[in-house]
């Protein structure tokens, strides 16, 4: 096993800005943190909402951005063309697979159904042992509290069984996201026998 490295982080977040200005402020601050730490952003490729806020912030502070967007969303989410790496794919499955492949960890900022779906998919694959990449839930201003209550309800009712607990870290301040990820990085596999089975979405 080689020492873990943190080069790129995938951020899931809304294509809208939400009703609380703290969400956009958190996205901008996280983008600045990534850039100053030399960590690249992998995200959904749009220039509106929180997606646009974090991507533009990374760029403004001299960082690297990889945007991955399916063709049918290039106009709806207004593709951000100023990023260093822009990948247009055929569908959502390709988008999610590439975002996974290119990232060392995942962060969920506030967002809607798309953000929730991407987060839950990563949690499910981690729960099933298909990857060990850190997952951080950024509970800005308590945004994710209803979801955390639902997860607790699932666990109390036996649908999240002992030994299959959700593998994620919860923070309420973007300043702690990168240190939390670094503390949870796993060593990289050196060969095929040690590598995790390739995820198929």
């Amino acid at each position: 096993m080689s020492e873990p490295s943190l080069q790129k982080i995938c951020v899931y977040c809304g294509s809208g800005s939400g009703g609380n200005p703290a969400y956009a402020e958190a996205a901008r601050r996280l983008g600045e943190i990534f850039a100053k730490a030399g960590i690249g952003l992998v995200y959904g490729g749009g220039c509106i909402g929180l997606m646009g806020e974090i991507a533009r912030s990374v760029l403004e502070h001299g960082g690297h951005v990889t945007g991955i967007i399916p063709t049918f969303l290039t106009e709806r989410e207004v593709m951000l063309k100023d990023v260093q790496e822009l990948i247009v794919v055929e569908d959502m499955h390709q988008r999610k697979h590439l975002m996974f492949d290119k990232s060392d960890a995942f962060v969920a900022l506030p967002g809607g159904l798309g953000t929730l779906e991407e987060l839950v998919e990563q949690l499910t694959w981690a729960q099933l042992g298909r990857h060990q990449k850190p997952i951080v839930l950024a509970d800005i201003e308590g945004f994710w509290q209803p979801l955390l209550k639902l997860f607790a309800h699932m666990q109390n009712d036996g649908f999240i069984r002992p030994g299959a607990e959700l593998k994620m870290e919860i923070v309420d301040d973007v300043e702690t996201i990168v240190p939390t990820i670094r503390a949870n990085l796993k060593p990289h596999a050196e060969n095929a026998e040690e590598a995790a089975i390739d995820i198929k979405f």
Side-chain angles (χ1 to χ4, degrees):
M1 292 287 184
S2 62
E3 288 299 314
S5 64
L6 182 57
Q7 298 180 2
K8 293 182 179 181
I9 296 175
C10 176
V11 176
Y12 304 127
C13 58
S15 58
S17 297
N20 189 333
Y23 305 152
E25 182 181 345
R28 289 190 293 270
R29 177 59 182 143
L30 186 58
E32 179 182 359
I33 290 169
F34 281 9
K36 290 182 175 179
I39 297 169
L41 168 69
V42 177
Y43 87 119
C47 75
I48 57 177
L50 300 187
M51 294 171 65
E53 295 286 0
I54 188 170
R56 284 192 296 271
S57 179
V58 172
L59 293 172
E60 287 169 4
H61 291 93
H64 186 279
V65 177
T66 298
I68 304 172
I69 191 168
T71 304
F72 76 95
L73 284 180
T74 55
E75 294 185 6
R76 182 174 177 177
E77 292 186 350
V78 194
M79 183 170 60
L80 183 59
K81 298 178 180 179
D82 298 332
V83 303
Q84 291 93 341
E85 183 179 18
L86 180 61
I87 304 171
V88 180
V89 296
E90 293 182 4
D91 54 41
M92 294 293 285
H93 293 291
Q94 283 187 325
R95 179 199 218 180
K96 291 189 291 183
H97 203 165
L98 266 180
M99 290 172 85
F100 175 85
D101 285 343
K102 287 181 171 290
S103 304
D104 301 306
F106 307 93
V107 174
L109 291 175
L113 287 178
T115 303
L116 177 62
E117 186 264 344
E118 290 167 324
L119 166 68
V120 170
E121 185 165 61
Q122 292 300 341
L123 287 172
T124 301
W125 284 106
Q127 183 188 49
L128 296 173
R130 310 310 284 178
H131 77 85
Q132 294 183 309
K133 297 180 181 182
I135 303 169
V136 174
L137 188 65
D139 189 30
I140 308 301
E141 297 285 314
F143 177 83
W144 291 112
Q145 285 303 304
L147 178 65
L148 294 174
K149 289 179 182 177
L150 177 59
F151 287 161
H153 174 62
M154 291 175 176
Q155 187 167 1
N156 291 337
D157 258 8
F159 289 103
I160 299 176
R161 298 182 298 277
E165 290 83 3
L166 299 183
K167 301 178 187 297
M168 67 175 170
E169 301 296 322
I170 303 163
V171 303
D172 57 13
D173 182 351
V174 294
E175 305 288 339
T176 62
I177 288 175
V178 170
T180 298
I181 288 173
R182 290 193 190 280
N184 286 275
L185 280 175
K186 305 296 184 184
H188 293 301
E190 296 282 4
N191 54 52
E193 287 75 19
E194 293 176 342
I197 298 172
D198 183 35
I199 287 185
K200 301 298 183 186
F201 291 100

